[in-house]
Amino acid sequence: MGAALIDGDVAARCHANCIEYAREGARRSGPAGEIVERDGVLLFASASDFPVFANGAFRLDPAVPAERVIDIADAWFGERGRGWSLGTTSWDGTDQDLADAAAARGLMVVADTPGMVCDERLPDAPVPDGVEVRVLATPEESEAFVAMADQAYTSLGLPAGVISAMSATPMRLAVHEVTGGAFDGDDLLSGAQVFFSHGIAGVYCVGTAEAARGRGLAELVTRTVTNLGFDAGAPYVTLQASPMGESIYRRMGYRELYRYATHARFI
């Protein structure tokens, strides 16, 4: 099998993993979360009404016309009085019509980031003195992770309270979702998740408490959960890099596979 065909399968699985993680965000919102699949379109809403990350749509069937995708999402979120966001990938031009239609219909590109993949286990990073890296194992540690991530992601423009609102039910301490953290005693300084679906693993929600930044902890926990993915049998691990993390991930060994765009409808 040629490299292009192999990367095509990888890209499809990476995108599917990202979509499944979006479903997980709605599930964590408890009764306030909604997940609907309609006419080849996924619609998800969380306990937060923020349009980006917390409420959105993906085209599941590439045969669905782009205008139809936007019509469905506009109607569904309009009933809820919310804005929403649309995720598209640049792989093989499949979503170009969707990106063009989003622009024509007034959706704003709020993020254009690399969808990246790591093909092999990474060297473990040295752990700074006074820091312990471990897998979160209790509801209290899960709550600490949510609070840390909620604060940390304000640096990327996510309003405070969005991640907390989306975590009405505890992050599941289960085999399909593992959270690693860097601790100073009982204080969680940095953390990241690895999420398993579609035969691969994806790294999400990498964050570091503001007071603990500049110590290499985000790289430490990213390496940790990346390797947890490989150790669990994933053939590769994916992530969508933020501007703050992109250069770090490239240095670690992640490579860009496609661009990932987020188009938002604000109301």
Side-chain angles (χ1 to χ4, degrees):
M1 185 180 294
L5 289 177
I6 293 172
D7 270 358
D9 177 69
V10 174
R13 293 191 189 204
C14 291
H15 189 46
N17 184 272
C18 177
I19 292 171
E20 190 60 30
Y21 191 77
R23 289 188 181 99
E24 185 71 0
R27 294 183 191 114
R28 288 201 197 103
S29 291
E34 295 183 79
I35 304 170
V36 171
E37 294 186 18
R38 176 182 302 167
D39 300 331
V41 179
L42 169 68
L43 305 158
F44 65 92
S46 76
S48 169
D49 63 1
F50 190 65
V52 181
F53 182 65
N55 296 274
F58 288 98
R59 180 167 64 180
L60 301 179
D61 181 356
V64 179
E67 292 285 346
R68 178 64 178 153
V69 174
I70 295 172
D71 286 341
I72 290 171
D74 270 342
W76 196 76
F77 285 103
E79 292 171 357
R80 288 151 182 79
R82 297 185 174 195
W84 57 281
S85 57
L86 174 70
T88 64
T89 172
S90 68
W91 178 259
D92 203 26
T94 303
D95 281 346
Q96 188 58 54
D97 63 327
L98 195 52
D100 291 343
R105 296 283 292 273
L107 277 75
M108 179 186 305
V109 176
V110 294
D112 181 6
T113 60
M116 307 183 83
V117 67
C118 185
D119 301 293
E120 59 185 6
R121 198 182 194 281
L122 301 172
D124 293 321
V127 180
D129 291 341
V131 172
E132 178 190 3
V133 179
R134 63 178 185 263
V135 171
L136 275 60
T138 68
E140 292 76 18
E141 290 177 344
S142 177
E143 291 173 5
F145 177 80
V146 170
M148 179 279 297
D150 192 82
Q151 181 273 326
Y153 270 69
T154 61
S155 299
L156 295 175
L158 199 66
V162 172
I163 292 178
S164 293
M166 294 174 67
S167 304
T169 59
M171 292 191 174
R172 293 181 235 184
L173 303 171
V175 66
H176 74 282
E177 181 179 278
V178 180
T179 305
F183 290 82
D184 180 354
D186 292 330
D187 294 331
L188 177 66
L189 306 179
S190 183
Q193 290 190 303
V194 62
F195 183 80
F196 298 92
S197 78
H198 299 83
I200 68 165
V203 172
Y204 296 94
C205 213
V206 179
T208 302
E210 189 171 356
R213 292 177 182 174
R215 300 171 59 186
L217 298 180
E219 178 173 350
L220 174 63
V221 296
T222 302
R223 283 181 181 271
T224 297
V225 297
T226 296
N227 288 339
L228 285 173
F230 284 114
D231 292 346
Y236 37 79
V237 180
T238 185
L239 55 76
Q240 295 83 49
S242 71
M244 294 173 66
E246 180 177 350
S247 62
I248 297 172
Y249 302 140
R250 290 186 189 278
R251 187 181 71 242
M252 288 167 55
Y254 278 86
R255 62 185 174 92
E256 181 176 329
L257 194 55
Y258 52 76
R259 301 299 298 183
Y260 212 99
T262 301
H263 317 255
R265 168 85 78 204
F266 293 94
I267 61 170

